[in-house]
Amino acid sequence: MKLTDQIKTRELKFKPKVEIFENTIELNDIGISIPIPNGFEIDNGGVFDKFKAEYVFPDNSEFSTKDRESFEKVIFPPVFALKKGNGRPVIACYLFDVRALKGRSNLHIRSINKYELMWAPYLAKKTNEIPMNAKRIMKNELTGALSTEYGFDYKTKNGTVPIPSNLRILTYEVVNFVLTFYIIYDNTNNFEQTEIDSFVDGIKTNDNFGNNSFWQKAKSMFNL
């Protein structure tokens, strides 16, 4: 499959409902509450716009010229993004239809996470030798997975020195969706494991879980 097509299939046909509170963000379409870590704030879209405008993608010779020129254009913004200080660390939140990530395969969330990290080299060339793996997470009655640390150089079009950066991917399968967080940081703007653990601890079902029309329909569809 072309990378352009792979990206297109991930975009939802609807805009998820986001409610922002002082310390949490509610995604009521899937009944999930997400914490806002200390020192972070909701981004107004500037982080994504800056990324699209300045980032230099790696030269993937295996793609056709048309695909290399078009996949950048179809990358779509996150449901929301959290940023700290001048823009890093960044936590970009996406919501995907689970079928867009695993097709007809019977993959569990850890495998989905590992495959997601396997796509990363097409968008960011790997700079470390740590195996691309994922740790299963079971917390607050949710099942997820957290990837290993993926190193890459953040190169920009203005020719400045690339920033050695890190990516970790956090995923949760929630009924027929995959809630995905792309966490990007660097040595100067680090996101420690203790901070990641605290973020994970705060992801839970919200007051609408099991009570809204979405979940009633989902329960009926999946015999929950």
Side-chain angles (χ1 to χ4, degrees):
M1 178 181 287
K2 294 180 180 179
L3 184 57
T4 303
D5 294 337
Q6 175 70 16
I7 293 171
K8 284 182 177 179
T9 60
R10 291 163 172 255
E11 189 166 13
L12 294 175
K13 305 301 181 184
F14 67 94
K15 186 175 181 180
K17 297 175 183 177
V18 178
E19 287 190 83
I20 300 172
F21 298 95
E22 183 177 356
N23 299 311
T24 61
I25 299 167
E26 311 289 328
L27 295 185
N28 290 326
D29 291 296
I30 58 172
I32 296 293
S33 176
I34 300 158
I36 300 176
N38 290 336
F40 280 76
E41 62 183 24
I42 300 291
D43 178 58
N44 61 5
V47 166
F48 178 77
D49 292 341
K50 182 180 180 183
F51 162 74
K52 288 275 285 192
E54 73 175 18
Y55 182 66
V56 176
F57 291 91
D59 184 17
N60 297 297
S61 58
E62 63 269 39
F63 295 142
S64 68
T65 301
K66 182 178 181 181
D67 198 23
R68 288 200 303 270
E69 293 175 348
S70 59
F71 83 78
E72 297 180 30
K73 299 177 183 177
V74 299
I75 294 175
F76 51 92
V79 174
F80 68 85
L82 296 166
K83 67 178 181 179
K84 188 175 183 180
N86 294 325
R88 279 194 177 187
V90 172
I91 304 174
C93 173
Y94 281 84
L95 189 64
F96 303 123
D97 186 316
V98 68
R99 293 166 296 183
L101 301 188
K102 69 180 184 180
R104 297 180 182 275
S105 302
N106 188 27
L107 299 176
H108 51 69
I109 192 62
R110 184 168 173 265
S111 293
I112 290 174
N113 187 291
K114 289 169 66 176
Y115 277 113
E116 189 69 5
L117 199 62
M118 288 174 64
W119 276 99
Y122 295 117
L123 304 176
K125 187 175 180 180
K126 191 178 181 184
T127 58
N128 63 348
E129 297 302 322
I130 296 176
M132 290 190 278
N133 211 334
K135 177 183 178 182
R136 190 180 184 199
I137 294 172
M138 298 190 70
K139 182 78 67 171
N140 300 326
E141 299 184 356
L142 295 171
T143 301
L146 176 66
S147 76
T148 51
E149 189 175 75
Y150 180 97
F152 70 100
D153 284 335
Y154 190 92
K155 298 181 180 180
T156 60
K157 296 173 183 176
N158 61 16
T160 56
V161 177
I163 302 172
S165 303
N166 297 299
L167 164 70
R168 295 189 77 175
I169 301 175
L170 174 64
T171 49
Y172 291 92
E173 188 169 358
V174 186
V175 187
N176 55 338
F177 292 95
V178 175
L179 178 64
T180 304
F181 300 94
Y182 299 98
I183 305 170
I184 300 173
Y185 54 96
D186 54 64
N187 289 338
T188 303
N189 306 283
N190 200 6
F191 199 53
E192 302 284 353
Q193 183 63 50
T194 54
E195 295 176 286
I196 293 177
D197 292 341
S198 178
F199 182 67
V200 168
D201 288 344
I203 299 173
K204 58 189 68 176
T205 57
N206 65 21
D207 292 339
N208 292 320
F209 188 82
N211 296 319
N212 60 29
S213 60
F214 168 85
W215 277 107
Q216 295 301 328
K217 184 178 179 180
K219 285 183 175 182
S220 175
M221 290 174 60
F222 291 88
N223 298 317
L224 299 178

